[in-house]
Amino acid sequence: MRLLRNLAPALSAFLALFASSQPASSAPPAEANSCLACHGAQGEGLAAAGYPRLAGLSAEYISEQLNAYIDGRRVNPIMRPMAMPLTATQIQGIATFFSALPAPSNVAAALTDATQSALGQQLAERGEWSAGIPACFNCHAPGGVGLPPAFPPIVGQPAMYIESQIQAWKNGTRQGDPKNLANALMHNVAFRMSDTQTKAVAAWLAAQPIPTPNTSPSTTVKTNP
Amino acid sequence: MSIVTSATLTRTVALLFSLASQLSSTPAFSADAQAALNASAHTGATFQPPSEADIPAGPFGDTIRLGRDIMLDTPRHAARFVGNNLSCANCHLDAGRMAGSAPLWAAYVNFPAYRAKNSKINTYQERLQGCFRFSMNGSAPPLGDPVLVALEAYSFWLATGLPVNKEVAGRGYPKLEKPAQVADFSRGQAVYTARCALCHGESGAGQSTAGQVIFPSLWGNQSYNWGAGMGSINNAAQFIYANMPYGMSYSLTPQEAWDVAYFMNAHERPQDPRWLGSVEATRAKFHDSPFSLYGQTINGNVLGKTGAPKRTQDKDQAHIAP
């Protein structure tokens, strides 16, 4: 006990040193360099091309997605060759790196179509229960900031990307495993969405600014023990 | 349930799916094959409450909108009367519109009504008082309080076009067949871990972010108290069967719904505000039912043995609120 107590400060100093040399807080691990061309130098994504942001996504979620590209549950001709060569250790390093990057301060896309905007907002905040669609924000958290590890953020993602994912679930290129509850939940929601609803909610979400760190949660607080 | 560790399993399943989709002409599998569209699916309800876009302008419309807002975010819009962090809409889905989720429109047209809970004719406002006292673990707003008036106005408006004093399809929860086997804690725990914990948390405390509840707590000190309707295993099983997992109505088997309802209600929660000084006396008077685990011994602990209520009711309200 005593020895442990004496060791503790030294140990934590060592850990702090170790942590500060971790790539997460400075340079990306070598394998991540090739990703930045598309996913942005800060992992912020590339809205014009529909490339998603990776910054601020949970490490569990990122590594799960990379594995999905490898084993074919997510079919995408761009990402498959990017993910294939990665080892499990590299995936973990990459996932940790991107998850530690702060959510970007996005320039929200402009939204001109008022009808589309109203429909998109309705879906995000209240859902369309007659079609079995719960409010997006009731799972992805108010503002769409996400709830790690299982619920990814949907604000700060390009409209093109959001739309393509809902289509992917519908046409089978983003396969879910019904035994995996997280997969099944979103698969279910996507199946129920019409093209008009998909377009509207994607456009509206992409037009929302990411809440600033002060108002947005970086950690999940359990409500009570 | 770790996302990462299930990778091998999912890989195998993915392989099976790609095989299956090659064999059949229908692309992909349908995750909602077993899940109904929503809770109303098995209720036979035909009534459609009006659209919120049609809430009238003017002061009456404002009152209706306030009622809607109280449903959606009760701790914010009725703070004085709320003692946990639940909102009415957590249990009355789609802001009280959803058939099969105890919709307000179906309730409204059936009041005043006799209630066994307090052995008298209750007005709708009196019924609402009970919600605050038990489900919200708070205190009953006085009759005529703007909070009750707003909720009543909202319910009245939702019921536009419904005949009064008639049982309407969609009221309460759809009937659920009795379980084949007696509801069981450890089977319920297994259902909970697989189908609920992702959202409501291993500890049942729910999840919040930036002070906003996302997934409400199912037990513990921020949940409904021992006097609430949801504390009855039959109510809970019916609610869960029709409404949970969220967005996957009727995807559990009836047995799973009973088991997980039992498991949920076999945990500690705030004291029954009708507390009579001892668990035994309180059970004898208010919980003498096979559907209540209050006062029962679960895993060596007597449920409800937590002493007098922490947030005691105003004594002079006790006679008004059942």
Side-chain angles (χ1 to χ4, degrees):
Chain A
M1 248 350 246
R2 184 155 228 249
L3 184 70
L4 256 180
R5 219 174 297 143
N6 290 340
L7 262 177
L11 196 70
S12 59
F14 170 76
L15 281 178
L17 203 74
F18 180 71
S20 66
S21 68
Q22 280 295 290
S25 50
S26 52
E31 316 73 75
N33 280 319
S34 62
C35 321
L36 305 181
C38 291
H39 290 288
Q42 301 302 318
E44 74 276 19
L46 189 60
Y51 299 159
R53 71 145 146 144
L54 303 179
L57 271 55
S58 78
E60 289 93 331
Y61 178 79
I62 294 175
S63 66
E64 167 73 357
Q65 302 315 308
L66 290 170
N67 282 313
Y69 288 121
I70 293 172
D71 63 33
R73 278 174 296 132
R74 268 184 92 162
V75 180
N76 183 270
I78 301 177
M79 268 313 294
R80 185 173 160 85
M82 300 308 306
M84 277 311 270
L86 298 173
T87 66
T89 319
Q90 288 173 326
I91 287 180
Q92 203 159 32
I94 289 175
T96 311
F97 166 70
F98 282 114
S99 70
L101 293 176
S105 49
N106 63 328
V107 184
L111 192 56
T112 44
D113 185 334
T115 320
Q116 199 181 45
S117 169
L119 176 59
Q121 180 170 9
Q122 166 82 15
L123 284 162
E125 294 178 347
R126 297 289 303 282
E128 180 46 67
W129 275 107
S130 65
I133 304 167
C136 315
F137 289 178
N138 280 5
C139 284
H140 290 280
V145 296
L147 184 68
F151 298 88
I154 51 172
V155 67
Q157 291 294 19
M160 212 192 292
Y161 177 71
I162 297 173
E163 226 183 295
S164 75
Q165 295 315 298
I166 291 172
Q167 293 306 342
W169 268 299
K170 288 168 83 168
N171 66 28
T173 52
R174 190 165 177 173
Q175 293 272 353
D177 166 8
K179 289 213 178 60
N180 178 321
L181 184 58
N183 287 176
L185 287 166
M186 189 57 214
H187 204 162
N188 224 11
V189 174
F191 260 117
R192 294 166 177 181
M193 293 182 67
S194 70
D195 290 351
T196 311
Q197 287 170 325
T198 305
K199 276 201 163 52
V201 78
W204 186 82
L205 285 168
Q208 305 312 306
I210 301 180
T212 57
N214 289 343
T215 56
S216 109
S218 54
T219 53
T220 301
V221 189
K222 300 278 184 216
T223 44
N224 65 19
Chain B
M1 227 184 54
S2 156
I3 295 176
V4 187
T5 51
S6 62
T8 338
L9 179 69
T10 45
R11 225 164 282 163
T12 323
V13 175
L15 202 77
L16 285 176
F17 278 127
S18 57
L19 267 177
S21 55
Q22 277 163 22
L23 290 175
S24 73
S25 54
T26 39
F29 82 107
S30 166
D32 51 0
Q34 332 94 357
L37 214 50
N38 58 37
S40 85
H42 292 187
T43 64
T46 52
F47 176 72
Q48 294 287 338
S51 155
E52 281 183 15
D54 298 332
I55 295 179
F60 181 51
D62 293 342
T63 308
I64 294 170
R65 261 185 292 272
L66 175 61
R68 187 243 355 237
D69 293 346
I70 294 169
M71 290 296 293
L72 288 170
D73 192 345
T74 322
R76 178 146 157 235
H77 296 284
R80 278 189 302 146
F81 307 114
V82 175
N84 57 22
N85 60 20
L86 299 186
S87 286
C88 312
N90 292 159
C91 301
H92 300 277
L93 267 64
D94 197 13
R97 302 169 62 90
M98 177 66 75
S101 193
L104 298 186
W105 42 266
Y108 181 79
V109 295
N110 280 288
F111 280 86
Y114 176 82
R115 292 193 75 212
K117 196 162 185 168
N118 56 5
S119 324
K120 65 172 190 127
I121 302 287
N122 287 229
T123 64
Y124 190 67
Q125 287 202 9
E126 284 171 328
R127 177 68 187 88
L128 295 174
Q129 286 182 320
C131 301
F132 281 96
R133 196 169 172 219
F134 301 110
S135 293
M136 309 305 299
N137 191 35
S139 57
L143 295 176
D145 186 275
V147 163
L148 296 185
V149 170
L151 284 167
E152 188 171 36
Y154 176 59
S155 306
F156 166 85
W157 172 80
L158 283 176
T160 305
L162 264 185
V164 176
N165 271 332
K166 283 231 175 72
E167 274 299 327
V168 274
R171 187 173 181 201
Y173 308 119
K175 288 258 170 306
L176 176 60
E177 59 192 75
K178 287 214 176 67
Q181 305 172 67
V182 179
D184 174 75
F185 186 92
S186 55
R187 276 201 315 267
Q189 183 166 34
V191 175
Y192 187 80
T193 306
R195 309 304 284 175
C196 321
L198 180 77
C199 298
H200 293 289
E202 285 301 337
S203 68
Q207 299 190 64
S208 300
T209 188
Q212 279 255 20
V213 174
I214 302 170
F215 301 124
S217 58
L218 303 189
W219 62 83
N221 58 14
Q222 288 297 325
S223 193
Y224 53 91
N225 69 36
W226 276 115
M230 192 63 85
S232 264
I233 297 164
N234 54 341
N235 281 336
Q238 290 173 345
F239 168 84
I240 291 165
Y241 183 59
N243 294 282
M244 292 290 143
Y246 201 48
M248 299 185 72
S249 291
Y250 305 103
S251 64
L252 301 176
T253 64
Q255 183 71 52
E256 287 171 331
W258 281 102
D259 288 340
V260 78
Y262 181 99
F263 173 76
M264 175 175 87
N265 280 333
H267 285 87
E268 205 46 90
R269 55 181 66 262
Q271 184 56 269
D272 192 326
R274 299 164 299 183
W275 172 251
L276 293 174
S278 77
V279 181
E280 295 73 20
T282 311
R283 173 160 179 103
K285 179 114 201 271
F286 300 113
H287 294 268
D288 185 17
S289 150
F291 295 124
S292 175
L293 290 176
Y294 181 88
Q296 306 290 67
T297 305
I298 300 284
N299 299 332
N301 295 317
V302 178
L303 291 173
K305 205 160 184 146
T306 52
K310 301 271 182 301
R311 317 178 85 260
T312 38
Q313 294 289 117
D314 279 344
K315 278 280 180 274
D316 56 299
Q317 280 184 18
H319 69 283
I320 310 171

